[in-house]
Amino acid sequence: SGLLGMSGISSDMRTLEESEAPEARAAIDVFVYRIGRELGSLAAALGGLDAIVFTAGIGENSRSLRARVCRDAAWLGVELDAAANERNGPRISTAGSRVSAWAIPTNEELMIARHTQALLGALLLDDLQAFEHRAGRGRRHRGAEHERTRLVLDEVHDLLGAGDEAADRREG
């Protein structure tokens, strides 16, 4: 299954789009078909669609795939703005399109880092609070373990920035 399984060539859409092999074309055709099938299923379940959003590597970078998906979704009310699609959007549908279409850049690594920060921060904060509870909240020396936990928590926060749940819990 997947692009590599279907094509026998690659899982990378760029490679398949550059290939003239019939297997590459077939893999892309099936990929586009499956997207259309899922859009139809979602439209039926939701009673219509407001927008289609293309993200991540293929959605952000494959103009031809976006064009094919939007063309096939014309029955839903999608009208592709070819020039906007060539510019990679962000909006790639016409102003009059009943269903808007968007190409939105994503930073998957940043999202993973933020989720990791929240998890680590929460775990470290829980450890710190448990240690503080065991040691008492007085002015006693809290020891090296407490200081290491506090430093790691601060480093995670400094590395990835504010706005995470752990920072909110630490400050609250």
mmCIF file of all heavy atoms in Angstrom, residues 6 25-41 65 68-69 71-72 75:
data_model
loop_
_atom_site.group_PDB
_atom_site.id
_atom_site.type_symbol
_atom_site.label_atom_id
_atom_site.label_comp_id
_atom_site.label_asym_id
_atom_site.label_seq_id
_atom_site.Cartn_x
_atom_site.Cartn_y
_atom_site.Cartn_z
ATOM 1 N N MET A 6 2.433 1.049 -4.334
ATOM 2 C CA MET A 6 1.709 1.124 -5.611
ATOM 3 C C MET A 6 2.657 1.274 -6.796
ATOM 4 O O MET A 6 2.447 0.684 -7.847
ATOM 5 C CB MET A 6 0.742 2.310 -5.600
ATOM 6 C CG MET A 6 -0.453 2.152 -4.699
ATOM 7 S SD MET A 6 -1.632 0.961 -5.313
ATOM 8 C CE MET A 6 -2.058 1.654 -6.896
ATOM 9 N N ARG A 25 2.542 6.958 -12.548
ATOM 10 C CA ARG A 25 1.262 7.610 -12.900
ATOM 11 C C ARG A 25 0.102 6.931 -12.197
ATOM 12 O O ARG A 25 -0.793 7.581 -11.661
ATOM 13 C CB ARG A 25 1.018 7.544 -14.419
ATOM 14 C CG ARG A 25 2.019 8.247 -15.277
ATOM 15 C CD ARG A 25 1.848 9.762 -15.243
ATOM 16 N NE ARG A 25 3.128 10.303 -14.819
ATOM 17 C CZ ARG A 25 3.301 11.296 -13.945
ATOM 18 N NH1 ARG A 25 2.288 11.891 -13.409
ATOM 19 N NH2 ARG A 25 4.483 11.707 -13.604
ATOM 20 N N ALA A 26 0.117 5.609 -12.174
ATOM 21 C CA ALA A 26 -0.976 4.858 -11.538
ATOM 22 C C ALA A 26 -1.029 5.138 -10.035
ATOM 23 O O ALA A 26 -2.114 5.312 -9.465
ATOM 24 C CB ALA A 26 -0.811 3.357 -11.792
ATOM 25 N N ALA A 27 0.129 5.195 -9.410
ATOM 26 C CA ALA A 27 0.173 5.468 -7.969
ATOM 27 C C ALA A 27 -0.403 6.852 -7.658
ATOM 28 O O ALA A 27 -1.176 7.021 -6.708
ATOM 29 C CB ALA A 27 1.606 5.351 -7.447
ATOM 30 N N ILE A 28 -0.056 7.840 -8.464
ATOM 31 C CA ILE A 28 -0.591 9.190 -8.277
ATOM 32 C C ILE A 28 -2.095 9.208 -8.533
ATOM 33 O O ILE A 28 -2.855 9.825 -7.785
ATOM 34 C CB ILE A 28 0.150 10.210 -9.171
ATOM 35 C CG1 ILE A 28 1.613 10.322 -8.731
ATOM 36 C CG2 ILE A 28 -0.539 11.574 -9.113
ATOM 37 C CD1 ILE A 28 2.492 11.111 -9.686
ATOM 38 N N ASP A 29 -2.528 8.512 -9.576
ATOM 39 C CA ASP A 29 -3.967 8.445 -9.878
ATOM 40 C C ASP A 29 -4.754 7.857 -8.715
ATOM 41 O O ASP A 29 -5.811 8.374 -8.349
ATOM 42 C CB ASP A 29 -4.218 7.618 -11.143
ATOM 43 C CG ASP A 29 -3.739 8.305 -12.414
ATOM 44 O OD1 ASP A 29 -3.456 9.525 -12.380
ATOM 45 O OD2 ASP A 29 -3.631 7.596 -13.444
ATOM 46 N N VAL A 30 -4.249 6.788 -8.139
ATOM 47 C CA VAL A 30 -4.931 6.166 -7.001
ATOM 48 C C VAL A 30 -4.923 7.107 -5.797
ATOM 49 O O VAL A 30 -5.924 7.235 -5.079
ATOM 50 C CB VAL A 30 -4.293 4.802 -6.654
ATOM 51 C CG1 VAL A 30 -4.809 4.264 -5.320
ATOM 52 C CG2 VAL A 30 -4.555 3.792 -7.770
ATOM 53 N N PHE A 31 -3.809 7.794 -5.578
ATOM 54 C CA PHE A 31 -3.692 8.751 -4.471
ATOM 55 C C PHE A 31 -4.749 9.847 -4.601
ATOM 56 O O PHE A 31 -5.465 10.159 -3.651
ATOM 57 C CB PHE A 31 -2.272 9.344 -4.473
ATOM 58 C CG PHE A 31 -1.911 10.130 -3.254
ATOM 59 C CD1 PHE A 31 -1.561 9.497 -2.079
ATOM 60 C CD2 PHE A 31 -1.895 11.516 -3.291
ATOM 61 C CE1 PHE A 31 -1.203 10.228 -0.951
ATOM 62 C CE2 PHE A 31 -1.545 12.253 -2.179
ATOM 63 C CZ PHE A 31 -1.190 11.602 -0.999
ATOM 64 N N VAL A 32 -4.863 10.412 -5.795
ATOM 65 C CA VAL A 32 -5.858 11.460 -6.057
ATOM 66 C C VAL A 32 -7.272 10.901 -5.905
ATOM 67 O O VAL A 32 -8.148 11.538 -5.306
ATOM 68 C CB VAL A 32 -5.649 12.089 -7.455
ATOM 69 C CG1 VAL A 32 -6.810 13.001 -7.831
ATOM 70 C CG2 VAL A 32 -4.325 12.852 -7.501
ATOM 71 N N TYR A 33 -7.502 9.698 -6.416
ATOM 72 C CA TYR A 33 -8.813 9.056 -6.284
ATOM 73 C C TYR A 33 -9.191 8.894 -4.820
ATOM 74 O O TYR A 33 -10.320 9.183 -4.413
ATOM 75 C CB TYR A 33 -8.811 7.696 -6.992
ATOM 76 C CG TYR A 33 -9.997 6.851 -6.615
ATOM 77 C CD1 TYR A 33 -11.250 7.100 -7.173
ATOM 78 C CD2 TYR A 33 -9.876 5.832 -5.671
ATOM 79 C CE1 TYR A 33 -12.357 6.341 -6.802
ATOM 80 C CE2 TYR A 33 -10.971 5.077 -5.300
ATOM 81 C CZ TYR A 33 -12.205 5.335 -5.858
ATOM 82 O OH TYR A 33 -13.296 4.594 -5.477
ATOM 83 N N ARG A 34 -8.230 8.432 -3.999
ATOM 84 C CA ARG A 34 -8.521 8.211 -2.579
ATOM 85 C C ARG A 34 -8.806 9.516 -1.849
ATOM 86 O O ARG A 34 -9.661 9.552 -0.956
ATOM 87 C CB ARG A 34 -7.376 7.451 -1.915
ATOM 88 C CG ARG A 34 -7.335 6.003 -2.350
ATOM 89 C CD ARG A 34 -6.215 5.257 -1.674
ATOM 90 N NE ARG A 34 -6.239 3.854 -2.045
ATOM 91 C CZ ARG A 34 -5.239 3.015 -1.810
ATOM 92 N NH1 ARG A 34 -4.144 3.449 -1.198
ATOM 93 N NH2 ARG A 34 -5.334 1.767 -2.173
ATOM 94 N N ILE A 35 -8.116 10.576 -2.217
ATOM 95 C CA ILE A 35 -8.411 11.881 -1.612
ATOM 96 C C ILE A 35 -9.837 12.290 -1.967
ATOM 97 O O ILE A 35 -10.612 12.714 -1.106
ATOM 98 C CB ILE A 35 -7.402 12.962 -2.063
ATOM 99 C CG1 ILE A 35 -6.014 12.656 -1.489
ATOM 100 C CG2 ILE A 35 -7.874 14.357 -1.624
ATOM 101 C CD1 ILE A 35 -4.905 13.528 -2.060
ATOM 102 N N GLY A 36 -10.197 12.137 -3.246
ATOM 103 C CA GLY A 36 -11.553 12.473 -3.688
ATOM 104 C C GLY A 36 -12.602 11.639 -2.991
ATOM 105 O O GLY A 36 -13.671 12.135 -2.612
ATOM 106 N N ARG A 37 -12.316 10.358 -2.824
ATOM 107 C CA ARG A 37 -13.249 9.464 -2.136
ATOM 108 C C ARG A 37 -13.458 9.919 -0.687
ATOM 109 O O ARG A 37 -14.584 9.950 -0.198
ATOM 110 C CB ARG A 37 -12.710 8.034 -2.179
ATOM 111 C CG ARG A 37 -13.650 7.006 -1.568
ATOM 112 C CD ARG A 37 -13.069 5.625 -1.607
ATOM 113 N NE ARG A 37 -11.894 5.576 -0.739
ATOM 114 C CZ ARG A 37 -11.031 4.563 -0.727
ATOM 115 N NH1 ARG A 37 -11.181 3.545 -1.535
ATOM 116 N NH2 ARG A 37 -10.006 4.588 0.094
ATOM 117 N N GLU A 38 -12.383 10.301 -0.014
ATOM 118 C CA GLU A 38 -12.492 10.767 1.376
ATOM 119 C C GLU A 38 -13.214 12.107 1.459
ATOM 120 O O GLU A 38 -13.985 12.342 2.389
ATOM 121 C CB GLU A 38 -11.110 10.844 2.030
ATOM 122 C CG GLU A 38 -10.459 9.484 2.220
ATOM 123 C CD GLU A 38 -11.333 8.502 2.998
ATOM 124 O OE1 GLU A 38 -11.898 8.887 4.045
ATOM 125 O OE2 GLU A 38 -11.455 7.350 2.559
ATOM 126 N N LEU A 39 -12.960 12.987 0.498
ATOM 127 C CA LEU A 39 -13.686 14.265 0.483
ATOM 128 C C LEU A 39 -15.184 14.025 0.319
ATOM 129 O O LEU A 39 -16.001 14.663 0.989
ATOM 130 C CB LEU A 39 -13.174 15.169 -0.643
ATOM 131 C CG LEU A 39 -11.819 15.812 -0.430
ATOM 132 C CD1 LEU A 39 -11.387 16.570 -1.686
ATOM 133 C CD2 LEU A 39 -11.825 16.722 0.780
ATOM 134 N N GLY A 40 -15.553 13.121 -0.581
ATOM 135 C CA GLY A 40 -16.962 12.789 -0.773
ATOM 136 C C GLY A 40 -17.572 12.211 0.488
ATOM 137 O O GLY A 40 -18.693 12.574 0.875
ATOM 138 N N SER A 41 -16.844 11.349 1.157
ATOM 139 C CA SER A 41 -17.325 10.749 2.395
ATOM 140 C C SER A 41 -17.507 11.808 3.476
ATOM 141 O O SER A 41 -18.524 11.831 4.187
ATOM 142 C CB SER A 41 -16.323 9.676 2.852
ATOM 143 O OG SER A 41 -16.737 9.099 4.063
ATOM 144 N N LEU A 65 -0.934 18.059 -7.913
ATOM 145 C CA LEU A 65 -1.850 17.263 -7.102
ATOM 146 C C LEU A 65 -2.997 18.125 -6.591
ATOM 147 O O LEU A 65 -4.161 17.726 -6.667
ATOM 148 C CB LEU A 65 -1.119 16.614 -5.922
ATOM 149 C CG LEU A 65 -2.059 15.815 -5.043
ATOM 150 C CD1 LEU A 65 -1.839 14.342 -5.219
ATOM 151 C CD2 LEU A 65 -1.934 16.234 -3.607
ATOM 152 N N ARG A 68 -5.432 18.745 -9.419
ATOM 153 C CA ARG A 68 -6.255 17.572 -9.739
ATOM 154 C C ARG A 68 -7.334 17.348 -8.688
ATOM 155 O O ARG A 68 -8.480 17.056 -9.028
ATOM 156 C CB ARG A 68 -5.373 16.326 -9.864
ATOM 157 C CG ARG A 68 -4.533 16.333 -11.126
ATOM 158 C CD ARG A 68 -3.727 15.083 -11.268
ATOM 159 N NE ARG A 68 -4.604 13.898 -11.390
ATOM 160 C CZ ARG A 68 -4.143 12.662 -11.449
ATOM 161 N NH1 ARG A 68 -2.847 12.410 -11.403
ATOM 162 N NH2 ARG A 68 -4.984 11.645 -11.571
ATOM 163 N N VAL A 69 -6.956 17.465 -7.420
ATOM 164 C CA VAL A 69 -7.937 17.254 -6.344
ATOM 165 C C VAL A 69 -9.040 18.306 -6.439
ATOM 166 O O VAL A 69 -10.227 17.983 -6.336
ATOM 167 C CB VAL A 69 -7.257 17.276 -4.963
ATOM 168 C CG1 VAL A 69 -8.283 17.336 -3.835
ATOM 169 C CG2 VAL A 69 -6.342 16.066 -4.796
ATOM 170 N N ARG A 71 -9.954 20.046 -9.085
ATOM 171 C CA ARG A 71 -10.753 19.791 -10.300
ATOM 172 C C ARG A 71 -11.771 18.684 -10.042
ATOM 173 O O ARG A 71 -12.947 18.804 -10.383
ATOM 174 C CB ARG A 71 -9.836 19.419 -11.460
ATOM 175 C CG ARG A 71 -10.605 19.231 -12.775
ATOM 176 C CD ARG A 71 -9.754 18.607 -13.867
ATOM 177 N NE ARG A 71 -9.452 17.226 -13.497
ATOM 178 C CZ ARG A 71 -8.226 16.675 -13.575
ATOM 179 N NH1 ARG A 71 -7.208 17.369 -14.009
ATOM 180 N NH2 ARG A 71 -8.035 15.428 -13.213
ATOM 181 N N ASP A 72 -11.305 17.614 -9.392
ATOM 182 C CA ASP A 72 -12.207 16.500 -9.100
ATOM 183 C C ASP A 72 -13.255 16.863 -8.046
ATOM 184 O O ASP A 72 -14.295 16.204 -7.957
ATOM 185 C CB ASP A 72 -11.420 15.275 -8.629
ATOM 186 C CG ASP A 72 -10.597 14.640 -9.746
ATOM 187 O OD1 ASP A 72 -10.742 15.050 -10.924
ATOM 188 O OD2 ASP A 72 -9.804 13.734 -9.425
ATOM 189 N N TRP A 75 -17.563 19.364 -8.098
ATOM 190 C CA TRP A 75 -18.963 19.050 -7.783
ATOM 191 C C TRP A 75 -19.341 19.504 -6.370
ATOM 192 O O TRP A 75 -20.511 19.714 -6.081
ATOM 193 C CB TRP A 75 -19.231 17.556 -7.965
ATOM 194 C CG TRP A 75 -18.509 16.670 -6.980
ATOM 195 C CD1 TRP A 75 -17.247 16.184 -7.077
ATOM 196 C CD2 TRP A 75 -19.031 16.176 -5.755
ATOM 197 N NE1 TRP A 75 -16.932 15.416 -5.987
ATOM 198 C CE2 TRP A 75 -18.032 15.393 -5.150
ATOM 199 C CE3 TRP A 75 -20.247 16.317 -5.083
ATOM 200 C CZ2 TRP A 75 -18.193 14.758 -3.930
ATOM 201 C CZ3 TRP A 75 -20.415 15.678 -3.862
ATOM 202 C CH2 TRP A 75 -19.401 14.905 -3.294
#
